[in-house]
Amino acid sequence: MDAEQPLRAWFQEVEHASWQGPADVRARYGTADFVANHRVIFNIRGNKYRLVVAVKYEVFCVYVRFVGTHAEYDTIDAATI
């Protein structure tokens, strides 16, 4: 999968991050989108892939909810996945 390295790089950055809220995410990832239920959508590998995570800022837990192509992303509801 050609997204493996970009996903590993994202994971390594997030593992060391200390986001207090969406503004901290936006400061590092300017193209991140925010939807209901604390979901954050990241563009991976030049927007070829989408990564949807649920973030619990108060305890800094990031749960991966979806990884897929942009076309696959178009078939899901990012707020409920």
Side-chain angles (χ1 to χ4, degrees):
M1 172 191 236
D2 58 345
E4 181 178 355
Q5 193 54 38
L7 285 167
R8 286 183 184 276
W10 176 89
F11 179 83
Q12 189 171 31
E13 280 190 32
V14 171
E15 197 171 38
H16 295 43
S18 57
W19 300 331
Q20 298 297 307
D24 293 333
V25 177
R26 176 75 69 194
R28 173 60 187 98
Y29 298 97
T31 61
D33 292 318
F34 301 86
V35 295
N37 296 323
H38 305 283
R39 301 299 201 268
V40 184
I41 304 156
F42 296 93
N43 298 321
I44 302 295
R45 199 173 180 271
N47 203 24
K48 185 175 179 182
Y49 297 95
R50 291 284 179 99
L51 168 65
V52 179
V53 301
V55 181
K56 301 281 187 192
Y57 296 103
E58 59 277 1
V59 293
F60 195 72
C61 286
V62 178
Y63 302 94
V64 174
R65 305 300 298 156
F66 171 85
V67 178
T69 66
H70 201 143
E72 292 168 331
Y73 169 81
D74 289 341
T75 68
I76 67 160
D77 179 357
T80 60
I81 194 164

